[in-house]
């Protein structure tokens, strides 16, 4: 990263040029009192933020999105300004946004500093992986795009749906709560798994399961001994496949996995990553689907 933000390098000069140009454009419009319509030129950074904007009926105002914004399908037709946690300021600013809305955790920090100083509205939407957090996120996005009333209606409806989904999940797991191990990656035969404080831990709890790993926060590689000790009843993964997600046969053949209840029963659940971990408008459905996958019915 030090090469990217070398104050004497050509890349930094390009960033400064883009930022200054943006500042001149927005500053001139404000001084003239002109209505440029720029406030409708939204760049949405974060899959759940993009989903919420579309759910509020404001999708036509979005001009660009990040790579994680894969739903609804029409969002994928928009220009892609990069991966949420590896953004470049010149990429975001090149589309001449009037408003930037980003999930908490967008980065790197150097890029966010540039965007915050680009003389245009920048909103960071807090993340919290529980029912109240989703409601707060919807309301925050609604405030940012001046759709507060629509956001209130959507938030209330989703809160009710989540409450019902949680109740069904708790009923399904009342006799035996499943221990669930969320595996983020199996690259190089190393299992990278979720501890506490993650979207994975949050969705497992909402779906009536117990996170099998609670000894650390975030995502960390597990030793064979830790996998065996976690004793998951079910392994949960995203369905992206590729280098990061071993096929079921390969996963279940890993020596440590074969010794777990999930390995012995072949209990592996895979779901779309944004649907499962987005904590947005579809989360009540995701809770229902995950709960049914864990417990049946």
């Amino acid at each position: 990263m030090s090469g990217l933000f070398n104050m004497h390098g050509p890349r930094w000069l390009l960033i400064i040029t883009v930022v200054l140009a943006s500042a001149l454009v927005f500053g001139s419009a404000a001084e003239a009192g002109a209505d440029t319509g720029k406030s409708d030129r939204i760049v949405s950074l974060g899959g759940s933020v993009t989903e919420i904007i579309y759910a509020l009926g404001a999708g036509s105002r979005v001009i660009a999105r990040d790579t994680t914004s894969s739903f609804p399908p029409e969002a994928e037709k928009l220009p892609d300004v990069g991966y949420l946690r590896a953004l470049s300021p010149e990429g975001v600013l090149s589309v001449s946004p009037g408003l930037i809305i980003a999930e908490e955790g967008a980065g790197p920090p150097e890029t966010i500093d540039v965007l915050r100083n680009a003389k245009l509205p920048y909103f960071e939407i807090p993340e919290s992986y529980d029912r109240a957090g989703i409601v707060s996120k919807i309301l925050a996005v609604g405030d940012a795009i001046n759709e507060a009333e629509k956001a209130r209606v959507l938030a209330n409806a989703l809160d009710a749906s989540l409450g019902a989904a949680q109740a069904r999940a708790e009923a399904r797991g009342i006799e035996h709560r499943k221990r669930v191990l969320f595996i983020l990656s199996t690259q190089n035969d190393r299992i990278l798994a979720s501890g506490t404080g993650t979207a994975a831990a949050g969705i497992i709890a909402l779906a009536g399961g117990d996170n099998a790993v609670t000894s650390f926060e975030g995502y960390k590689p597990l030793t064979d001994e830790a996998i065996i000790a976690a004793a998951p009843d079910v392994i949960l993964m995203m369905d992206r496949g590729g280098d990061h997600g071993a096929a079921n046969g390969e996963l279940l053949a890993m020596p440590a996995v074969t010794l777990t209840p999930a390995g012995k029963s072949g209990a592996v659940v895979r779901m779309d990553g944004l649907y499962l971990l987005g904590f947005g408008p579809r989360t009540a459905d995701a809770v229902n689907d995950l709960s049914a996958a864990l417990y049946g019915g």
Side-chain angles (χ1 to χ4, degrees), residues 152-164:
R152 185 187 63 79
V153 172
L154 176 62
N156 288 343
L158 184 57
D159 187 49
S161 296
L162 274 168

Side-chain angles (χ1 to χ4, degrees), residues 10 19 54 86 98 102 107 112 137 166 185-186 190 200 233 236 241 246 255 260 284:
V19 172
Y54 274 86
I112 303 307
K137 186 192 295 189
Q166 278 187 274
S185 167
T186 58
R190 294 293 304 277
D233 298 302
L236 176 63
T260 67

Side-chain angles (χ1 to χ4, degrees), residues 126-280:
E127 285 278 20
S128 180
Y129 306 120
D130 54 23
R131 181 175 163 187
I134 301 173
V135 170
S136 296
K137 186 192 295 189
I138 291 171
L139 295 176
V141 173
D143 285 341
I145 65 172
N146 294 317
E147 295 288 1
E149 180 57 27
K150 288 183 179 179
R152 185 187 63 79
V153 172
L154 176 62
N156 288 343
L158 184 57
D159 187 49
S161 296
L162 274 168
Q166 278 187 274
R168 283 191 291 270
E170 292 296 329
R172 284 166 169 161
I174 195 167
E175 292 185 6
H176 169 62
R177 288 177 67 91
K178 296 292 182 72
R179 292 176 57 81
V180 183
L181 176 65
F182 178 81
I183 296 178
L184 180 65
S185 167
T186 58
Q187 195 170 29
N188 299 322
D189 292 327
R190 294 293 304 277
I191 287 181
L192 185 65
S194 167
T196 62
T198 66
I203 199 70
I204 289 169
L206 287 175
D210 289 331
N211 189 10
V213 179
T214 58
S215 58
F216 59 82
E217 186 173 353
Y219 295 93
K220 291 184 179 180
L222 295 183
T223 63
D224 285 355
E225 292 77 12
I227 295 168
I228 295 168
D233 298 302
V234 179
I235 293 172
L236 176 63
M237 299 182 72
M238 292 185 285
D239 62 3
R240 59 184 176 175
D243 294 337
H244 294 279
N248 283 7
E250 182 182 349
L251 174 69
L252 295 171
M254 291 182 174
V257 174
T258 63
L259 298 176
T260 67
K264 293 173 182 177
S265 66
V268 180
V269 175
R270 295 178 187 262
M271 294 175 65
D272 174 79
L274 180 57
Y275 180 60
L276 178 68
L277 305 176
F279 280 77

Side-chain angles (χ1 to χ4, degrees), residues 24-156:
L24 287 172
V25 170
F26 294 117
S28 298
E31 290 170 7
D35 180 8
T36 63
K38 288 284 187 178
S39 62
D40 282 343
R41 297 182 60 81
I42 299 172
V43 171
S44 181
L45 305 175
S48 67
V49 167
T50 303
E51 281 198 43
I52 292 168
I53 293 172
Y54 274 86
L56 294 176
S60 62
R61 296 167 58 189
V62 181
I63 60 165
R65 47 91 193 188
D66 76 306
T67 303
T68 70
S69 297
S70 57
F71 188 89
E74 52 264 38
E76 291 194 288
K77 299 175 184 178
L78 297 171
D80 182 346
V81 298
Y83 175 60
L84 179 66
R85 305 190 194 281
L87 300 164
S88 68
E90 67 266 33
V92 175
L93 294 172
S94 68
V95 296
S96 300
L99 174 68
I100 300 172
I101 307 179
E103 286 181 4
E104 182 181 359
E110 298 92 336
T111 290
I112 303 307
D113 288 343
V114 173
L115 296 178
R116 287 185 182 277
N117 289 297
K119 308 299 182 185
L120 69 155
Y122 181 97
F123 292 88
E124 180 178 272
I125 307 301
E127 285 278 20
S128 180
Y129 306 120
D130 54 23
R131 181 175 163 187
I134 301 173
V135 170
S136 296
K137 186 192 295 189
I138 291 171
L139 295 176
V141 173
D143 285 341
I145 65 172
N146 294 317
E147 295 288 1
E149 180 57 27
K150 288 183 179 179
R152 185 187 63 79
V153 172
L154 176 62
N156 288 343

